Amino acid sequence: MAFYYEEPSRTFNEYLLVPGHTPASCVPTAVNLKTPLVRYRKGEEECPLTLNVPMVSAIMAAVSDDKMAVALATEGGLSFIYGNQTIEQEAAMVARVKNHKAGFVVSDANLSPDMTLADVVALKERLGHSTMPVTDDGTATGKLLGIVTSRDYRPSRMDLETKVTEVMTPREKMIVAPVSTTLKEANDIIWEHKLNSLPIVDENDHLVSFVFRKDYDSHKENPLEMLDADKRYMVGAGINSRDYAERVPALVEAGADVLCIDSSEGYSDWQKFTIEWVREHYGNSVKIGAGNVVDAEGFRFLADCGADFIKVGIGGGSICITRETKGIGRGQATAVIEVAKARDEYFAETGIYVPICSDGGIVYDHHISLALAMGSDFVMLGRYFARFDESPSEKVLVNGTYMKEYWGEGSARARNWGRYDLGGKKSLSFEEGVDSYVPYAGSLKDNMAVTLLKLKSTMCNCGALTIPEFQEKAKLTIVSGASITEGGAHDVLQKDKAPYAGR
């Protein structure tokens, strides 16, 4: 007969944290949420990649594109660009994130002398940029002739057929810097001359790049930004276990900082083959996560294969129907607890720490706290991020309420055979996800600020200032159905629901 687990499969909703002693020094502003993203020898070396906040966005077409990646990296998290698209499309998204704020930015909005204001307006509408260099050949590396900014024209008061050469600030009136200029020197020049941008030119006066004041200001306003060594935003990318030989090189070339195999079930030879190929061709220079698993055996398998981090969770996502379709999965809390224990045992045996990511089953903000307390190093969120302005899905009006479209990668809409196929034909044989809506919630920045404040406050209630300390000090209790009811508003008539409220 089949192996039978004596303990039931439990969800985050079945647990509560019990508060511990909170010292006077333990306040939310003192909490550090930094957490490892990839494997390393704990105690002997620093983790090569860390997150400034323990949140990453799911590898989903409804969640993670380049716009989401920039917004999340600004707040200290990381996006994994979805892989259910052509290799060229995914690589282009990664490249746009890396080029969005690089300190020295190669211009992608360029004008030639024969262009008109109509071209300027069209380019601004398409790309959103207000600073456009004019070069002799209209490229990002042509001889610099001048610059057009939003201060140089008014479409409503000027003839759109006017040549850009008539409105631009000419080269001789511009302040520029040579290619030998450091980023600090460039920012000093911008500050000294009260500039919004500084063109960098070579010895032949050909444009090389720009340095923008707003990038410096952005970094000062967002100290948790996820930046690489070149001050570019960090970004991850999803791959599958089919076309990795073609997809991985393109994503690495585009600048992806970390990869993750996107699969509904990670305890398989397909993931082993994928990781082995990456190690054979790139060694340890390319970081790659794997998953998903729900028990110690699955974790050990992927850890031994060389996965840099391992995702935990099958069937717990709000748009996932794997459990009801196939009868496969496990309660997310139980899965995280077991895998976290296996991770710690693996570290004790090998000296190698392999971070785990809780993926799925998180409905409320406090579930993030529970996932971390149970041992997760970070969490992957789909529905949470799908609600925001920055997600790629459409905002629609449904019964008088604004909603955002949200669909699973196992749905007929996504048709992501690469994630769910088990080595058979290239098609989606049956659905493991649904097509749905989630309530529109506004901007990512505002919502994440509240979520992170809740997390920090909870950690302080447990007397912890770091995630490892939180995991060490946290005390968990299983709750009954009655205590769940007791935990919410009860036995009162809430004002906003009372008859004649507010009259």
Side-chain angles (χ1 to χ4, degrees), residues 27 45 59-60 69 71 77 112 121 123 173 204 221 227 315 366 386 429 434 466 470 472 493:
V27 293
E45 59 188 44
I59 312 170
M60 302 175 68
S112 60
V121 172
L123 203 56
K173 293 185 179 181
N204 298 314
E221 293 171 4
L227 303 177
H366 75 270
S429 301
V434 299
T466 66
F470 183 38
E472 180 184 341
L493 183 61

Side-chain angles (χ1 to χ4, degrees), residues 13-16 479-490:
N13 257 354
E14 296 178 77
Y15 287 89
L16 281 176
V479 297
S480 66
S483 65
I484 292 175
T485 301
E486 181 186 61
H490 61 90

Side-chain angles (χ1 to χ4, degrees), residues 272-493:
K272 177 183 178 182
F273 300 153
T274 305
I275 297 170
E276 287 176 343
W277 186 92
V278 170
R279 294 291 175 248
E280 178 185 350
H281 290 81
Y282 294 95
N284 291 319
S285 65
V286 170
K287 305 303 180 183
I288 178 170
N292 288 22
V293 299
V294 293
D295 62 6
E297 288 182 15
F299 170 86
R300 175 72 65 155
F301 174 81
L302 291 177
D304 288 340
C305 287
D308 284 298
F309 67 86
I310 295 172
K311 291 202 297 162
V312 181
I314 294 176
S318 59
I319 40 68
C320 184
I321 55 173
T322 294
R323 294 181 192 175
E324 62 183 84
T325 301
K326 295 166 59 176
I328 289 286
R330 200 175 194 187
Q332 189 67 9
T334 300
V336 168
I337 291 169
E338 180 173 324
V339 173
K341 181 180 178 183
R343 185 230 14 237
D344 293 344
E345 291 173 350
Y346 189 83
F347 169 62
E349 293 174 23
T350 66
I352 298 173
Y353 187 85
V354 182
I356 63 172
C357 167
S358 178
D359 177 20
I362 292 174
V363 180
Y364 306 109
D365 285 351
H366 75 270
H367 287 172
I368 298 175
S369 302
L370 288 168
L372 296 173
M374 290 172 180
S376 294
D377 295 280
F378 56 99
V379 297
M380 178 172 278
L381 305 164
R383 183 197 61 84
Y384 178 89
F385 288 116
R387 304 171 300 147
F388 302 147
D389 290 316
E390 293 80 4
S391 75
S393 63
E394 292 294 324
K395 183 171 75 171
V396 295
L397 196 61
V398 179
N399 297 327
T401 302
Y402 278 111
M403 311 288 282
K404 290 276 282 187
E405 294 182 323
Y406 180 45
W407 60 94
E409 289 299 299
S411 67
R413 178 171 181 171
R415 296 189 179 280
N416 190 353
W417 65 269
R419 186 179 202 277
Y420 289 89
D421 174 57
L422 294 177
K425 59 182 181 179
K426 294 184 178 181
S427 64
L428 192 67
S429 301
F430 54 85
E431 291 184 85
E432 293 187 48
V434 299
D435 196 347
S436 62
Y437 298 106
V438 289
Y440 167 66
S443 75
L444 177 146
K445 185 179 184 68
D446 293 341
N447 283 275
M448 267 193 72
V450 174
T451 298
L452 293 175
L453 183 57
K454 290 179 183 178
L455 171 58
K456 291 178 179 181
S457 180
T458 300
M459 289 171 63
C460 288
N461 289 148
C462 296
L465 290 174
T466 66
I467 291 174
E469 187 180 15
F470 183 38
Q471 292 166 345
E472 180 184 341
K473 292 183 175 181
K475 296 179 290 185
L476 291 160
T477 181
I478 296 173
V479 297
S480 66
S483 65
I484 292 175
T485 301
E486 181 186 61
H490 61 90
D491 300 310
V492 295
L493 183 61

Side-chain angles (χ1 to χ4, degrees), residues 97-347:
V97 177
K98 301 306 291 185
N99 292 330
H100 184 85
K101 189 182 90 68
F104 294 96
V105 180
V106 176
S107 175
D108 61 353
N110 307 294
L111 305 169
S112 60
D114 58 340
M115 286 185 170
T116 65
L117 283 182
D119 297 311
V120 174
V121 172
L123 203 56
K124 184 176 181 181
E125 288 180 353
R126 182 163 64 87
L127 298 176
H129 302 323
S130 58
T131 299
M132 303 178 193
V134 181
T135 59
D136 61 347
D137 59 1
T139 70
T141 56
K143 186 177 180 65
L144 185 62
L145 302 179
I147 190 169
V148 176
T149 71
S150 57
R151 295 178 297 180
D152 296 320
Y153 64 94
R154 289 292 181 271
S156 60
R157 303 180 64 178
M158 300 175 69
D159 184 357
L160 292 182
E161 294 305 311
T162 303
K163 295 287 187 181
V164 294
T165 51
E166 296 180 35
V167 298
M168 72 181 186
T169 300
R171 167 66 183 85
E172 56 269 20
K173 293 185 179 181
M174 295 173 58
I175 295 173
V176 302
V179 289
S180 59
T181 306
T182 66
L183 186 58
K184 183 182 184 306
E185 291 170 341
N187 283 316
D188 288 342
I189 294 171
I190 287 174
W191 179 260
E192 180 183 351
H193 295 278
K194 300 180 180 179
L195 305 174
N196 287 322
S197 63
L198 177 68
I200 306 297
V201 297
D202 65 15
E203 63 275 9
N204 298 314
D205 216 33
H206 283 242
L207 181 65
V208 175
S209 60
F210 274 94
V211 176
F212 292 97
R213 173 191 288 268
K214 64 180 179 63
D215 288 343
Y216 177 82
D217 293 341
S218 173
H219 180 59
K220 292 301 181 183
E221 293 171 4
N222 302 287
L224 294 178
E225 284 181 325
M226 284 288 293
L227 303 177
D228 64 17
D230 297 316
K231 305 296 183 182
R232 302 177 301 176
Y233 283 126
M234 295 182 68
V235 61
I239 64 171
N240 60 62
S241 55
R242 296 294 177 269
D243 64 6
Y244 51 83
E246 296 78 33
R247 191 173 293 267
V248 170
L251 295 174
V252 171
E253 177 68 22
D257 297 282
V258 58
L259 306 176
C260 184
I261 305 172
D262 181 29
S263 174
S264 61
E265 205 278 296
Y267 191 1
S268 74
D269 280 346
W270 307 111
Q271 298 224 354
K272 177 183 178 182
F273 300 153
T274 305
I275 297 170
E276 287 176 343
W277 186 92
V278 170
R279 294 291 175 248
E280 178 185 350
H281 290 81
Y282 294 95
N284 291 319
S285 65
V286 170
K287 305 303 180 183
I288 178 170
N292 288 22
V293 299
V294 293
D295 62 6
E297 288 182 15
F299 170 86
R300 175 72 65 155
F301 174 81
L302 291 177
D304 288 340
C305 287
D308 284 298
F309 67 86
I310 295 172
K311 291 202 297 162
V312 181
I314 294 176
S318 59
I319 40 68
C320 184
I321 55 173
T322 294
R323 294 181 192 175
E324 62 183 84
T325 301
K326 295 166 59 176
I328 289 286
R330 200 175 194 187
Q332 189 67 9
T334 300
V336 168
I337 291 169
E338 180 173 324
V339 173
K341 181 180 178 183
R343 185 230 14 237
D344 293 344
E345 291 173 350
Y346 189 83
F347 169 62

Side-chain angles (χ1 to χ4, degrees), residues 7 25 47 52 80 89 93 122 138 208 235 266 314 335 350 386 403 466:
E7 289 295 318
S25 60
C47 181
N52 290 329
F80 285 87
Q89 288 171 329
M93 282 191 180
V208 175
V235 61
I314 294 176
T350 66
M403 311 288 282
T466 66

